[in-house]
C-alpha cells in the first residue's frame, strides 16, 4: 500500500509539472516547432482578437459564441502541450534518479608510467594509493588514469587496465547482483557512478568531460538532445501538406458560400469565426498534437529498459528490422554446457562410467565439471568422496593436454576432448574402438560436446555435454517469425553442432564458425538485398559488424571499441535485450501509424458532419445530409471543435503507453489498423459530436 501511495504521489507530481509545462510551451518559439499546432495557436489568437472586437461592437458573430470558440482553441493548444510535457516529465523523473547517481567525487589520478610500475610492486594497491593525486571527478578527461579501491565510487566511464574487482552497478542498471570487471577480455568496461565492492582497479577514462553514459542518458530521457527521425520528419511534412490543403479547402468554401449568398441576395452567413473553427476541425490536429509525445514516449520506454540509444534514428530503425543476428552463447543458450547422459562403451556399465567421471570432476570447479558430479548423484546416488586425508592426486586441465582427472587408489582416471583422450590411451597401448567413435559422432551431430572418460588407459565411455537452450527462446523466435523477422544464430561451433542447436532453438538460419570477417560479410549481403539488420556484441572483434548493422546494441560491460561502434548501449549487458529493442521500435511505429490513421479518419468524419449543418441555410437541399440533426450551424461548429480538443486528452494515455503490441505480419497489422482506427475514427466523431450538441442544447448554450 505504501508503494502504491508513493507511485500515486509521483504520478501526481508529474501531472502537475506537465500542467506547468503546458503553459510555458505557449511561447511562440516553442509553438513554431510544430507547424500544425502553430496554425491552431494562430487561430486561437485570431478568435481571441475577434472576441474583443465583438465586445467593442465590431462583430461577425455573438460574443458568447466567439468566446467559446476561442477558449476551446486555447484548450486544444494546451492539451497538445500537456501531452508533450507529460511525455517529457516521465523522462525527467528518470533523469532525476540518474542525476542522483552522478555526483562529483574525489578521484585518485595517476599517470601511465606509475600505472605500469605499480604492477611490479609487492603491494600494488598501497603503491597506487601513495602515488596518486587527488582531484575532482569533474576535472577528469579522456585518457586520464585513475585508481579506485573497495568502497570508492568509480569517478568516470573507463576501461580497466590493471586489476580485477567486484562492482555494484545497481545505481545504473537496477540489478542488485554485483558483477566482475577485469583488465583484458570483453568485461573490462566500467561506468561512472557505480561503486567498487572489493579489491582495486586502475582505470583509463574513455569519455570526454560531460559526455559520459550518464550524461548522455540524462540528456536523452529529458528529450534535450532528441532529434526528429527521418520517418517523423516525413510524417510532419505530410501533416503540413494536409494542413495547407485544408486551409485552401476552407477558403474555397468561404468563396463558394459568398457566391451562393450573392445569388440569393442575402448576407453571407459563413463568418470568419466559423471559418477558423472549421479549418481547425479539418486540419490533422489530433496526430499533430500527439506526434512529438509518441516519439518521446518511445525513447522513454527504451530508456526504462536500460538501453541508451545514441539517436532516435536507431529506435526507428529497430521498428523496421527484418533480420536479427544473435550470438549463440549467453543469448540463445545459457552458455554453460551441462552433462545430460553417460554413454558407456566396450563392455563398461553406465554406473561404472558415472563413478569414474564423478571422481575426475570432484576438483573441477567449472560448470561442466559440477554438472557431471550432480548427474552421477541423481542417476545412481553416487555421492562425492571426502577428500580429506585421501590418497587422491588432482590432475588439472591444461591447454597442452586438454585433459584433467585424478590419480585415486592406484587408478589413473582422465577425462577430456575425444582426440586428446584417444591419443593418451593409444600412447599406453589402449584402443579407441568403433563403438566409442560412433558415440562421439552421434553426440556431435546432435549438437552436443563429447567428453571421453578413461580409467587405467581404457576408455569407459562418453559424457554427453549439452549446450542448454534458454527456456522460452523458441517461443520468442516463433513470435518474431510471425512479424516477418528472420532470426540468425551466430556461433563459433562447427556446422554440424550449429545446425543441431539451431533446430532445437527454432532459429531460421545460422552462421557457423563465425569470424569478424564472416559476420561483416553476412550483414553487408543482407543489406544489399534490402534488409534492415540488427545485431548485438560486446567484444572488439564485434566492432566491425556492429558499425555496419542498422541497429547495433553493444553491451555496457564490453569493450570501448564495441560501444563506440554500436548505436545503442545496453546498460544491463543482457544479449537477449535485442529482442526487446526490436519490439519497442515496432511498437513506436505501430502507435504512430495507428493514431495517424485515426486522425485522418476523424478529419473525414468531421467534414461530413459539419458541412451540411453549416450550409443548410444557403442550400436547404443539404438538410438531407444532416444525418445527426445538429441543432444549428453554431452548435455544429462548437460541438466539433470541442470534440477536436477532447479527443487529444482521451488519446494521451495511448500515445504514452503505445498501442498493444501484436506479433503479426504487416498485412494483418494494416488490416487491424484500418478496421479499428480507420472505421473507429470515422464512426466516433458522429457519435461524440451529436452527444456534445445535445449537451449544449440542454444547457442552453446553443
Amino acid at each position: 500500500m505504501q508503494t502504491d501511495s508513493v507511485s500515486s504521489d509521483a504520478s501526481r507530481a508529474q501531472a502537475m509539472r506537465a500542467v506547468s509545462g503546458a503553459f510555458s510551451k505557449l511561447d511562440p518559439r516553442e509553438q513554431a516547432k510544430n507547424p500544425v499546432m502553430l496554425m491552431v495557436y494562430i487561430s486561437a489568437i485570431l478568435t481571441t482578437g475577434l472576441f474583443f472586437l465583438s465586445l467593442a461592437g465590431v462583430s461577425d458573430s455573438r460574443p458568447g459564441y466567439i468566446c467559446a470558440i476561442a477558449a476551446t482553441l486555447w484548450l486544444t493548444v494546451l492539451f497538445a502541450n500537456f501531452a508533450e510535457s507529460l511525455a517529457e516529465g516521465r523522462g525527467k523523473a528518470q533523469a532525476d534518479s540518474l542525476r542522483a547517481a552522478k555526483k562529483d567525487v574525489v578521484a585518485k589520478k595517476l599517470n601511465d608510467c606509475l600505472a605500469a610500475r605499480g604492477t611490479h610492486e609487492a603491494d600494488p594497491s598501497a603503491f597506487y594509493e601513495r602515488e596518486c593525486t587527488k582531484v575532482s571527478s569533474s576535472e577528469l578527461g579522456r585518457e586520464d588514469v585513475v585508481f579506485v579501491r573497495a568502497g570508492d565510487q568509480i569517478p568516470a566511464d573507463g576501461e580497466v587496465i590493471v586489476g580485477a574487482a567486484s562492482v555494484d552497478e545497481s545505481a545504473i542498471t537496477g540489478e542488485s547482483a554485483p558483477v566482475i570487471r577485469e583488465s583484458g577480455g570483453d568485461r573490462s568496461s566500467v561506468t561512472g557512478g557505480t561503486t567498487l565492492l572489493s579489491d582495486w582497479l586502475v582505470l583509463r577514462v574513455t569519455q570526454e568531460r560531460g559526455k559520459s553514459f550518464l550524461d548522455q542518458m540524462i540528456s536523452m530521457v529529458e528529450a534535450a538532445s532528441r532529434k526528429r527521425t527521418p520517418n517523423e520528419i516525413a510524417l510532419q511534412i505530410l501533416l503540413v501538406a494536409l494542413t495547407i490543403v485544408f486551409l485552401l479547402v476552407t477558403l474555397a468554401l468561404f468563396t463558394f458560400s459568398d457566391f451562393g449568398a450573392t445569388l440569393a441576395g442575402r448576407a453571407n452567413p459563413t463568418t470568419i469565426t466559423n471559418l477558423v473553427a472549421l479549418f481547425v476541425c479539418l486540419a490533422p490536429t489530433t496526430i499533430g498534437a500527439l506526434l512529438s509525445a509518441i516519439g518521446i514516449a518511445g525513447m522513454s520506454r527504451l530508456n526504462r529498459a536500460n538501453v541508451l540509444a545514441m539517436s532516435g534514428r536507431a529506435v526507428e530503425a529497430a521498428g523496421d528490422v527484418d533480420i536479427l543476428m544473435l550470438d549463440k552463447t549467453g543469448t540463445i543458450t545459457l552458455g554453460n554446457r551441462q552433462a545430460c547422459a553417460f554413454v558407456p562403451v566396450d563392455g563398461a556399465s553406465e554406473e561404472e562410467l558415472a563413478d569414474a567421471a564423478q571422481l575426475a570432476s570432484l576438483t573441477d570447479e567449472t560448470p561442466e565439471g559440477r554438472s557431471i558430479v550432480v548427474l552421477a548423484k541423481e542417476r545412481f546416488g553416487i555421492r562425492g568422496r571426502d577428500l580429506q586425508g585421501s590418497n587422491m592426486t588432482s590432475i588439472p586441465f591444461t591447454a597442452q593436454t586438454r585433459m584433467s582427472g585424478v590419480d585415486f587408489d592406484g587408478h589413473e582416471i582422465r577425462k577430456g576432448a575425444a582426440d586428446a583422450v584417444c591419443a593418451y590411451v593409444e600412447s599406453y597401448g589402449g584402443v579407441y574402438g568403433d563403438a566409442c567413435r560412433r558415440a562421439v559422432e552421434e553426440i556431435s551431430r546432435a549438437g552436443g560436446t563429447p567428453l571421453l572418460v578413461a580409467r587405467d588407459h581404457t576408455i569407459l565411455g562418453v559424457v554427453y555435454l549439452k549446450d542448454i537452450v534458454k527456456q522460452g527462446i523458441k517461443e520468442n523466435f516463433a513470435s518474431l517469425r510471425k512479424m516477418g523477422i528472420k532470426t540468425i544464430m551466430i556461433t563459433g561451433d562447427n556446422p554440424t553442432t550449429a545446425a543441431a542447436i539451431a533446430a532445437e532453438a527454432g532459429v531460421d538460419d545460422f552462421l557457423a564458425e563465425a569470424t569478424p570477417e564472416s559476420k561483416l560479410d553476412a550483414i553487408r549481403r543482407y543489406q544489399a538485398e534490402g534488409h534492415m539488420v540488427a545485431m548485438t556484441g560486446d567484444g572488439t572483434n564485434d566492432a566491425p559488424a556492429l558499425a555496419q548493422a542498422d541497429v547495433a546494441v553493444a553491451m555496457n560491460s564490453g569493450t570501448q571499441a564495441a560501444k563506440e561502434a554500436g548505436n545503442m548501449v545496453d546498460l544491463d549487458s543482457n544479449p537477449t535485450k535485442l529482442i526487446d529493442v526490436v519490439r519497442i521500435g515496432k511498437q513506436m511505429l505501430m502507435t504512430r501509424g495507428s493514431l495517424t490513421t485515426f486522425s485522418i479518419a476523424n478529419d473525414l468524419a468531421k467534414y461530413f458532419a459539419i458541412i451540411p449543418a453549416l450550409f443548410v441555410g444557403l442550400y436547404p437541399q443539404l438538410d438531407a445530409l444532416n444525418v445527426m440533426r445538429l441543432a444549428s450551424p453554431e452548435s455544429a461548429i462548437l460541438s466539433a471543435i470541442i470534440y477536436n480538443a477532447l479527443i487529444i486528452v482521451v488519446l494521451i494515455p495511448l500515445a504514452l503507453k503505445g498501442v498493444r503490441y501484436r506479433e503479426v505480419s504487416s498485412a494483418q497489422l494494416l488490416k487491424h489498423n484500418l478496421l479499428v482506427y480507420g472505421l473507429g475514427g470515422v464512426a466516433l466523431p458522429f457519435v461524440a459530436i451529436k452527444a456534445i450538441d445535445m449537451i449544449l442544447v440542454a444547457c442552453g448554450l446553443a
Side-chain angles (χ1 to χ4, degrees):
M1 293 295 291
Q2 188 175 359
T3 302
D4 292 341
S5 175
V6 172
S7 177
S8 176
D9 290 343
S11 298
R12 193 177 299 111
Q14 286 181 23
M16 293 306 296
R17 278 203 301 264
V19 170
S20 174
F23 282 95
S24 66
K25 286 179 180 292
L26 289 176
D27 185 328
R29 291 168 296 183
E30 289 290 325
Q31 293 300 312
K33 297 176 183 178
N34 189 334
V36 176
M37 295 313 298
L38 176 64
M39 298 304 295
V40 182
Y41 180 73
I42 294 171
S43 298
I45 294 173
L46 178 59
T47 50
T48 302
L50 290 173
F51 168 67
F52 285 114
L53 286 175
S54 69
L55 293 179
V58 181
S59 174
D60 61 356
S61 300
R62 293 182 297 108
Y65 172 70
I66 301 175
C67 180
I69 294 292
T72 306
L73 292 178
W74 281 116
L75 284 175
T76 304
V77 176
L78 287 172
F79 290 158
N81 292 348
F82 177 77
E84 186 172 356
S85 296
L86 195 59
E88 292 174 352
R90 291 187 173 189
K92 287 175 181 176
Q94 187 182 5
D96 289 341
S97 63
L98 290 172
R99 197 174 280 110
K102 180 183 180 297
K103 54 187 178 184
D104 281 345
V105 295
V106 174
K108 301 166 184 176
K109 187 175 177 181
L110 299 166
N111 60 47
D112 281 332
C113 63
L114 287 174
R117 248 181 65 195
T119 58
H120 304 294
E121 297 288 326
D123 185 357
S125 63
F127 171 79
Y128 290 132
E129 189 76 55
R130 185 174 62 251
E131 297 295 330
C132 68
T133 303
K134 294 184 178 180
V135 299
S136 171
S137 59
S138 61
E139 297 176 21
L140 294 175
R142 190 182 179 101
E143 299 300 325
D144 282 343
V145 177
V146 294
F147 170 67
V148 189
R149 68 182 317 148
D152 292 348
Q153 186 178 100
I154 293 174
D157 294 350
E159 200 159 18
V160 181
I161 56 175
V162 181
S166 177
V167 180
D168 175 11
E169 296 186 341
S170 58
I172 307 299
T173 67
E175 177 57 56
S176 58
V179 294
I180 301 299
R181 295 289 176 257
E182 58 189 339
S183 60
D186 295 338
R187 294 290 181 271
S188 60
S189 182
V190 293
T191 305
T194 58
T195 304
L196 208 66
L197 295 180
S198 69
D199 303 292
W200 54 269
L201 296 173
V202 177
L203 316 171
R204 177 173 284 110
V205 178
T206 55
Q207 296 289 348
E208 300 289 350
R209 296 174 194 171
K211 293 183 179 179
S212 69
F213 279 115
L214 269 179
D215 290 318
Q216 291 181 60
M217 194 161 186
I218 290 169
S219 181
M220 290 295 291
V221 298
E222 287 187 319
S225 64
R226 177 183 175 272
K227 296 180 181 179
R228 286 190 174 92
T229 61
N231 282 352
E232 198 172 347
I233 293 171
L235 182 56
Q236 188 81 67
I237 292 171
L238 173 63
L239 297 182
V240 170
L242 286 175
T243 302
I244 294 171
V245 168
F246 282 120
L247 178 61
L248 296 175
V249 168
T250 304
L251 293 174
L253 287 174
F254 176 75
T255 305
F256 185 69
S257 64
D258 191 55
F259 176 72
T262 302
L263 288 179
R266 66 177 75 171
N268 187 354
T270 307
T271 63
I272 294 177
T273 303
N274 283 347
L275 282 176
V276 170
L278 177 62
F279 164 67
V280 171
C281 285
L282 298 184
T285 52
T286 306
I287 186 61
L290 299 173
L291 185 59
S292 182
I294 293 169
I296 295 171
M299 292 291 291
S300 180
R301 281 194 294 275
L302 193 69
N303 290 325
R304 284 201 299 274
N306 270 345
V307 177
L308 173 62
M310 301 307 182
S311 71
R313 182 189 292 266
V315 186
E316 195 168 81
D320 291 326
V321 161
D322 58 354
I323 296 286
L324 208 57
M325 300 184 71
L326 302 138
D327 278 331
K328 181 202 74 173
T329 305
T331 305
I332 295 172
T333 65
L334 294 175
N336 297 324
R337 295 172 299 175
Q338 303 288 307
C340 65
F342 297 111
V343 184
V345 297
D346 299 335
S349 69
E350 187 178 351
E351 185 171 357
E352 187 181 8
L353 170 61
D355 182 64
Q358 189 190 66
L359 277 169
S361 303
L362 288 176
T363 58
D364 184 353
E365 291 301 318
T366 65
E368 293 88 347
R370 290 195 295 269
S371 73
I372 291 172
V373 174
V374 171
L375 183 63
K377 178 182 175 182
E378 290 177 347
R379 290 284 177 87
F380 303 104
I382 304 173
R383 297 186 176 275
R385 282 68 162 177
D386 183 7
L387 304 182
Q388 295 295 327
S390 70
N391 57 345
M392 176 183 284
T393 302
S394 175
I395 309 299
F397 176 88
T398 67
Q400 289 74 32
T401 65
R402 297 193 315 164
M403 293 189 303
S404 64
V406 292
D407 292 340
F408 181 72
D409 280 346
H411 297 286
E412 284 188 17
I413 302 173
R414 299 290 185 270
K415 65 170 185 176
D419 56 344
V421 174
C422 173
Y424 162 76
V425 168
E426 290 178 343
S427 69
Y428 286 93
V431 177
Y432 179 51
D434 291 338
C436 186
R437 184 177 288 105
R438 284 195 300 271
V440 168
E441 290 173 354
E442 288 173 4
I443 290 171
S444 297
R445 277 197 300 270
T449 301
L451 195 69
L452 265 61
V453 178
R455 184 178 62 196
D456 298 333
H457 318 130
T458 300
I459 295 175
L460 299 178
V462 186
V463 179
Y464 183 174
L465 295 179
K466 186 178 182 181
D467 213 347
I468 306 299
V469 173
K470 287 185 176 180
Q471 188 175 9
I473 199 75
K474 191 168 187 176
E475 290 75 13
N476 260 330
F477 291 149
S479 298
L480 292 170
R481 195 174 298 112
K482 289 179 183 177
M483 298 161 55
I485 297 176
K486 181 179 180 180
T487 51
I488 299 172
M489 181 183 76
I490 304 173
T491 177
D493 292 335
N494 62 67
T496 302
T497 302
I501 295 174
E504 184 181 356
V507 296
D508 299 307
D509 201 354
F510 63 87
L511 178 64
E513 299 175 342
T515 63
E517 293 78 14
S518 63
K519 293 179 192 178
L520 183 60
D521 289 343
I523 292 173
R524 285 175 174 168
R525 185 173 66 253
Y526 285 119
Q527 289 174 330
E529 294 170 0
H531 297 287
M532 294 284 284
V533 182
M535 77 161 289
T536 182
D538 59 1
T540 301
N541 63 344
D542 292 322
L546 287 171
Q548 182 67 36
D550 298 291
V551 177
V553 182
M555 302 297 101
N556 189 39
S557 61
T559 62
Q560 186 64 23
K563 288 192 284 189
E564 289 178 353
N567 50 25
M568 292 187 187
V569 176
D570 176 20
L571 297 180
D572 292 333
S573 301
N574 176 7
T576 58
K577 190 73 71 65
L578 181 59
I579 297 173
D580 296 328
V581 168
V582 170
R583 284 176 172 154
I584 290 171
K586 286 194 175 294
Q587 187 184 34
M588 187 179 79
L589 293 184
M590 287 163 58
T591 303
R592 188 187 295 162
S594 298
L595 292 186
T596 300
T597 302
F598 183 85
S599 178
I600 294 174
N602 256 238
D603 294 336
L604 293 174
K606 285 181 286 186
Y607 183 89
F608 287 106
I610 297 169
I611 296 300
L614 190 62
F615 292 101
V616 72
L618 282 175
Y619 306 101
Q621 298 87 346
L622 290 178
D623 189 56
L625 299 178
N626 187 14
V627 292
M628 291 187 290
R629 297 301 168 192
L630 301 177
S632 67
E634 287 187 349
S635 73
I637 290 288
L638 190 55
S639 299
I641 206 165
I642 290 174
Y643 166 79
N644 195 64
L646 294 179
I647 196 62
I648 295 174
V649 179
V650 172
L651 293 176
I652 286 176
L654 185 62
L656 298 183
K657 185 179 179 181
V659 300
R660 189 172 71 86
Y661 183 74
R662 296 169 57 84
E663 292 168 334
V664 297
S665 66
S666 299
Q668 289 175 295
L669 186 61
L670 178 61
K671 182 179 178 181
H672 176 268
N673 273 359
L674 290 176
L675 182 64
V676 175
Y677 297 98
L679 291 180
V682 170
L684 184 60
F686 283 95
V687 177
I689 290 172
K690 177 60 179 177
I692 295 171
D693 180 73
M694 292 172 65
I695 293 171
L696 291 177
V697 172
C699 295
L701 299 175

